């Protein structure tokens, strides 16, 4: 073995181990097949000796058969252990992958914690909330002031009178419900109920802009 040979990676070593374990299992399987064939031969020889009345030969052959069956049972046991080792190796490899993933995640979190300043971020959010509340209060105060400056004592009564007149003209009372009034012609003209509702909305919007 060369001293300068490159050390295999974990994946390469696991693949090599898998190949060796599978080869060993195949070899054990072939040995069991041979033992099974030999068992059948011994069984035939035991029957033959028994028919011939050769008790001594039948006894010797029976002992050989017992030993051969014990050997085949051991082969099954070893094969199970080899398979268990292969499974355990895969589990260990999976655990190594999870450990590597956790290490990468931990390193990423450490880097993010170094970059982030939680105290500064919290203060920024508090300042944003504070300034947002100030803006809302300022807007409310400005709107109240404009209403006080632009509003006159007779404007509200005059607006109510105009709205009442328009609603009475198209057959709607002040509660906003349609009245069973006849369709007027001329100023309003013929229109369906849906068109009347659209006209009402447009007229009310126009009144608000006065």
């Amino acid at each position: 073995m060369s001293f300068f040979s490159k050390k295999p990676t974990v994946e390469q070593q696991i693949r090599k181990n898998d190949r060796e374990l599978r080869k060993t299992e195949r070899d054990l399987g072939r040995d069991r097949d041979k033992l099974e064939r030999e068992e059948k031969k011994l069984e035939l020889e035991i029957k033959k000796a028994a028919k011939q009345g050769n008790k001594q030969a039948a006894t010797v052959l029976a002992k050989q058969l017992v030993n051969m069956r014990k050997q085949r049972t051991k082969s099954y046991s070893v094969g199970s252990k080899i398979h268990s080792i292969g499974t355990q190796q895969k589990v260990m490899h999976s655990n190594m992958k999870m450990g590597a993933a956790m290490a990468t995640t931990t390193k990423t979190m450490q880097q993010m914690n170094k970059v982030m300043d939680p105290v500064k971020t919290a203060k920024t959010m508090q300042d944003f909330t504070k300034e947002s509340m100030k803006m809302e209060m300022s807007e409310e105060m400005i709107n109240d002031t404009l209403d006080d400056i632009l509003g006159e004592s007779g404007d509200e009564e005059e607006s109510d009178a105009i709205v009442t007149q328009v609603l009475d003209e198209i057959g709607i009372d002040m509660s906003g419900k349609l009245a069973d009034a006849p369709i007027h012609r001329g100023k309003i003209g013929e229109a369906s109920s849906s068109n009347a509702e659209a006209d009402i909305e447009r007229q009310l919007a126009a009144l608000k802009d006065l």
Side-chain angles (χ1 to χ4, degrees), residues 153-165:
S153 60
D155 287 349
E156 186 174 356
E157 290 78 2
E158 184 178 357
S159 297
D160 291 341
I162 294 173
V163 172
T164 302
Q165 181 181 356

Side-chain angles (χ1 to χ4, degrees), residues 11-50:
E11 288 78 9
Q12 292 173 345
Q13 187 64 47
I14 289 176
R15 285 196 294 268
K16 180 181 178 182
N17 294 343
D18 285 339
R19 288 194 297 268
E20 293 179 354
L21 291 174
R22 286 196 298 269
K23 182 178 181 300
T24 302
E25 286 182 316
R26 289 194 298 269
D27 292 341
L28 288 174
R30 285 192 290 268
D31 291 339
R32 286 193 297 269
D33 293 339
K34 292 179 181 178
L35 290 174
E36 188 174 356
R37 289 193 295 269
E38 293 296 328
E39 286 178 20
K40 291 180 180 179
K41 291 180 180 179
L42 284 174
E43 289 174 356
L44 293 175
E45 291 179 4
I46 292 171
K47 291 178 181 180
K48 182 178 178 181

Side-chain angles (χ1 to χ4, degrees), residues 18 111-112 136:
D18 285 339
Q111 293 175 348
M112 289 299 299
E136 291 178 359

Side-chain angles (χ1 to χ4, degrees), residues 29-81:
R30 285 192 290 268
D31 291 339
R32 286 193 297 269
D33 293 339
K34 292 179 181 178
L35 290 174
E36 188 174 356
R37 289 193 295 269
E38 293 296 328
E39 286 178 20
K40 291 180 180 179
K41 291 180 180 179
L42 284 174
E43 289 174 356
L44 293 175
E45 291 179 4
I46 292 171
K47 291 178 181 180
K48 182 178 178 181
K51 288 179 180 181
Q52 293 176 353
N54 191 349
K55 183 179 179 182
Q56 183 177 2
T59 302
V60 173
L61 292 172
K63 290 181 179 180
Q64 292 180 3
L65 180 61
V66 170
N67 292 332
M68 195 169 293
R69 287 178 176 177
K70 288 182 179 179
Q71 183 63 27
R72 189 158 61 93
T73 301
K74 291 179 181 179
S75 177
Y76 276 114
S77 177
V78 172
S80 298
K81 290 181 180 180

Side-chain angles (χ1 to χ4, degrees), residues 135-152:
M135 182 175 293
E136 291 178 359
M137 293 176 62
S138 300
E139 182 179 0
E140 185 177 354
M141 292 174 63
I142 292 173
N143 290 334
D144 291 343
T145 303
L146 289 175
D147 290 341
D148 292 340
I149 294 174
L150 299 178
E152 297 181 1

Side-chain angles (χ1 to χ4, degrees), residues 165-173 177-182 184 188:
Q165 181 181 356
V166 172
L167 295 177
D168 290 341
E169 184 179 352
I170 60 179
I172 299 179
D173 58 18
K177 298 179 180 179
L178 289 174
D180 296 331
H184 295 279
I188 299 175

